[in-house]
Amino acid sequence: EAFFRDCGGRLVSAVEVCEWLYRFLPPKRLTARQVGRMWRRSAHLIRQGLLPDQVHAYVYIPFCHRYCTYCNLYVVQLRDAAQLEEYVDRLLKQFEFFRPYFSRLTFRSLVVGGGTPGILTPGQIHRLFSSFRSSFSVQEDGLRGFEVDPGSVSVEKLAVLKDVGFTRISMGVQTFNKSLLKSVNRGHQDTETVCRAVEQIRAAGFRDGFNLDVLGGLAGQEIEDGLDCFEQLARLEPTQITFNFF
């Protein structure tokens, strides 16, 4: 039997997971108000100690300039700046709508993923997460992470991220092998861009440091390539290295 760990570290069986899904996720599309009522009920149970106080916030930015062929997430290739601005406006409305449902809950952490969250402009980052901070509460010592692509990093953007409370940057490097990068449609990335981005992130001084992502198991990838990539990443002295295997 398969087991998983919940956010509190408790072992949960696959059967329990399925039972939870069938119980709480009706086989139909829910309205925002229905979702809000479900969260209000859950918040009440958490305050009574009937559910674990392990609520984390995740904000998804689905846009990318190009598709990486290994990615199995929902992503949208960005057409123009107006498309991104429209999404930001919709997120701001969602923050405002769900604000009262979470008014008495504190998130343990906040992570912004994608897609490519770094595709947001400094102004959009400031608008979004100034609004998030005024709408929701995140545990003081909790992680506040933001994902970036090496080409999306800038000194100005990092300064804004730190200003609105982010404590760690996670950057997808994936591999340093140029032919592998080209094979997964990341031929635009080079070692110089990665190293420059790392130095800018380090200089910004995020409380919880920075993570670098690397891929294993890509078509045509040899063990030696993975070891070489790890050595190069280690020389950059990140706080954490995350291997994702395919």
Side-chain angles (χ1 to χ4, degrees), residues 7 62 70 78 165 198 238 244-245:
C7 293
Y70 57 81
L78 189 66
V198 165
N244 296 298
F245 290 94

Side-chain angles (χ1 to χ4, degrees), residues 6-246:
D6 65 13
C7 293
R10 185 177 68 93
L11 280 176
V12 181
S13 73
V15 173
E16 286 181 273
V17 172
C18 291
E19 288 177 346
W20 188 92
L21 289 172
Y22 280 114
R23 179 180 174 188
F24 291 102
L25 298 180
K28 63 179 181 179
R29 184 174 180 177
L30 300 175
T31 67
R33 293 192 184 281
Q34 287 174 316
V35 172
R37 285 196 294 269
M38 290 173 66
W39 273 113
R40 178 170 284 163
R41 184 169 67 251
S42 295
H44 176 69
L45 294 174
I46 288 170
R47 290 194 298 273
Q48 290 186 318
L50 299 175
L51 284 178
D53 186 7
Q54 293 286 344
V55 184
H56 301 257
Y58 185 85
V59 178
Y60 188 66
I61 309 296
F63 298 105
C64 293
H65 285 302
R66 57 188 65 81
Y67 292 110
C68 298
T69 57
Y70 57 81
C71 184
N72 59 3
L73 300 173
Y74 173 76
V75 295
V76 177
Q77 190 164 10
L78 189 66
R79 297 190 308 269
D80 50 47
Q83 185 185 23
L84 185 57
E85 188 65 20
E86 180 184 0
Y87 188 77
V88 169
D89 288 340
R90 287 177 180 271
L91 275 180
L92 289 168
K93 290 176 181 177
Q94 290 292 304
F95 291 168
E96 184 64 28
F97 177 83
F98 282 104
R99 181 180 193 167
Y101 296 104
F102 291 91
S103 61
R104 297 177 64 186
L105 272 183
T106 297
F107 292 119
R108 291 297 184 95
S109 68
L110 163 66
V111 172
V112 183
T116 310
I119 209 168
L120 295 167
T121 67
Q124 288 169 336
I125 292 170
H126 191 273
R127 283 173 56 212
L128 266 180
F129 296 103
S130 292
S131 172
F132 187 95
R133 291 178 80 183
S134 65
S135 300
F136 308 105
S137 174
V138 180
Q139 190 172 300
E140 186 62 32
D141 61 351
L143 175 74
R144 296 165 178 82
F146 192 94
E147 296 180 4
V148 298
D149 175 85
S152 69
V153 175
S154 72
V155 171
E156 181 186 6
K157 197 171 291 184
L158 293 170
V160 173
L161 286 167
K162 194 172 181 183
D163 184 56
V164 294
F166 285 96
T167 63
R168 187 177 75 169
I169 298 297
S170 184
M171 185 168 74
V173 176
Q174 317 313 2
T175 179
F176 288 102
N177 184 308
K178 195 64 180 175
S179 62
L180 282 175
L181 285 169
K182 186 175 290 187
S183 73
V184 295
N185 203 29
R186 290 181 69 93
H188 59 283
Q189 181 181 305
D190 55 42
T191 302
E192 182 182 352
T193 301
V194 171
C195 292
R196 182 172 59 249
V198 165
E199 289 311 308
Q200 291 174 340
I201 293 168
R202 194 193 319 280
F206 289 89
R207 186 192 73 193
D208 296 318
F210 64 99
N211 166 73
L212 298 177
D213 285 341
V214 62
L215 294 176
L218 294 173
Q221 187 175 31
E222 302 291 338
I223 293 177
E224 290 75 14
D225 172 76
L227 293 174
D228 178 66
C229 183
F230 181 82
E231 289 178 2
Q232 291 190 65
L233 290 177
R235 284 197 291 270
L236 295 174
E237 300 183 332
T239 312
Q240 176 178 308
I241 297 173
T242 301
F243 267 92
N244 296 298
F245 290 94
F246 285 81

